[in-house]
Amino acid sequence: MEETAGGVISPLPNIQPKHFVLVHGAGHGAWCWFKLRHLLEVAGHKVTCVDLAASGIDLAHPSSILSFDDYNKPLVDFMSTFSEGNKVILVGHSAGGLSLSHSLHNFGDKIEVAVFIAATMLPSGFCTEEDVKDGVPDLSEYGDVSIMEYSLGPDKPPTSVALREEFQRKILYHLSPVEDSVLASMLLRPSPCLALSTAKFEGNISQVRRIYIRTTHDKMVKPEQQDAMIRRWPPHEVFIIDTDHSPFFSSPQKLFELIVRASTI
């Protein structure tokens, strides 16, 4: 397992065009990939950016999505209809890593490489306390950062959660251009946290190559959490990028280079 520093990237080899499928994290949507999509398309690649349920422009209300299967359905529908014999580079950010793990269980024959960016990388989802400790952000040091909705009743678990606007830049985008964090503050939506908590996957998981991109200045999925998931389920390689939680904003060129490199390994 080789580690490659984000700041030292050798020239990219000439490669055949690939199909990259980009999966956003909690609260985000396909919109967050706009810089990376542009770089990939200019380089000749095909790009699909998926809006998961109640995310981006999907019209569902976050508190109406109560299971991971419902939340992940747009990606499952896409992967199910993807033509036989073709393979994608599947890329997931943050909680989007859960969607990648699900796809590795169900669509391994359609995935060339799975790339986890500061992502929840758990082979079976949330099955143990250790999975929760490693894969769920702990933001307690910041105080009351969340707005929660309890659509099933006050005595039930919350159904959706949103990061308060005054904490968004501090936690998600502190090294990103200010204009990008302003854009995000206008587009972020509550995430269906109850649905995400039900992510559990059974059965055999394919041996598709996995690459992890570790974000060294991450305040959401902290580096020690990323390291714990890497130790427990070692990927084929680890790349390191010196960014906040959102390298698609803070360092899109380096992220582009690392993802293209991952697709050629």
Side-chain angles (χ1 to χ4, degrees):
M1 183 170 65
E2 176 187 351
E3 296 198 358
T4 302
V8 183
I9 302 175
S10 57
L12 293 172
N14 293 323
I15 63 170
Q16 294 297 316
K18 307 274 188 175
H19 186 175
F20 291 82
V21 177
L22 310 181
V23 184
H24 61 81
H28 290 71
W31 56 266
C32 73
W33 299 110
F34 74 98
K35 292 183 177 183
L36 183 61
R37 174 179 171 176
H38 169 70
L39 290 168
L40 288 167
E41 290 182 341
V42 166
H45 301 290
K46 182 176 181 179
V47 183
T48 299
C49 301
V50 179
D51 272 328
L52 299 178
S55 305
I57 63 172
D58 184 88
L59 296 178
H61 190 284
S63 282
S64 73
I65 305 299
L66 303 178
S67 72
F68 184 79
D69 285 347
D70 288 343
Y71 176 66
N72 200 47
K73 187 175 185 297
L75 179 61
V76 170
D77 289 347
F78 172 81
M79 295 298 292
S80 297
T81 58
F82 193 68
S83 59
E84 294 287 342
N86 292 319
K87 292 191 175 185
V88 301
I89 312 299
L90 191 58
V91 179
H93 174 247
S94 197
L98 293 167
S99 296
L100 267 62
S101 294
H102 179 272
S103 292
L104 291 173
H105 278 273
N106 294 278
F107 302 107
D109 59 334
K110 298 182 178 183
I111 302 169
E112 185 175 346
V113 185
V115 182
F116 294 75
I117 306 171
T120 308
M121 187 174 68
L122 302 169
S124 301
F126 296 121
C127 297
T128 68
E129 291 183 5
E130 191 173 14
D131 293 333
V132 173
K133 178 183 176 183
D134 295 342
V136 176
D138 178 6
L139 304 178
S140 57
E141 66 188 275
Y142 299 102
D144 182 14
V145 301
S146 300
I147 302 171
M148 296 186 178
E149 183 169 322
Y150 296 81
S151 68
L152 299 180
D155 58 336
K156 303 293 184 181
T159 47
S160 70
V161 61
L163 190 63
R164 295 182 187 277
E165 187 170 347
E166 60 267 31
F167 291 99
Q168 290 169 6
R169 178 165 177 81
K170 180 183 294 186
I171 295 173
L172 294 172
Y173 316 116
H174 68 284
L175 298 179
S176 299
V178 172
E179 58 267 31
D180 290 336
S181 61
V182 171
L183 173 68
S185 73
M186 300 167 66
L187 296 174
L188 284 171
R189 296 177 61 186
S191 61
C193 55
L194 181 59
L196 284 165
S197 72
T198 69
K200 295 181 177 65
F201 319 124
E202 297 180 348
N204 295 328
I205 191 165
S206 65
Q207 298 303 306
V208 170
R209 284 181 294 124
R210 285 177 294 110
I211 307 295
Y212 199 95
I213 299 180
R214 181 183 183 273
T215 45
T216 58
H217 302 292
D218 203 316
K219 296 183 178 181
M220 175 62 78
V221 182
K222 296 180 175 63
E224 54 267 32
Q225 291 180 288
Q226 298 180 49
D227 289 341
M229 290 185 284
I230 289 167
R231 283 194 304 270
R232 292 176 59 205
W233 192 26
H236 292 74
E237 295 204 39
V238 176
F239 294 163
I240 298 172
I241 190 167
D242 294 327
T243 68
D244 55 20
H245 185 59
S246 305
F248 43 74
F249 287 160
S250 55
S251 192
Q253 181 66 37
K254 287 182 182 177
L255 181 62
F256 159 74
E257 292 170 355
L258 289 177
I259 286 176
V260 171
R261 184 166 298 281
S263 74
T264 66
I265 294 172

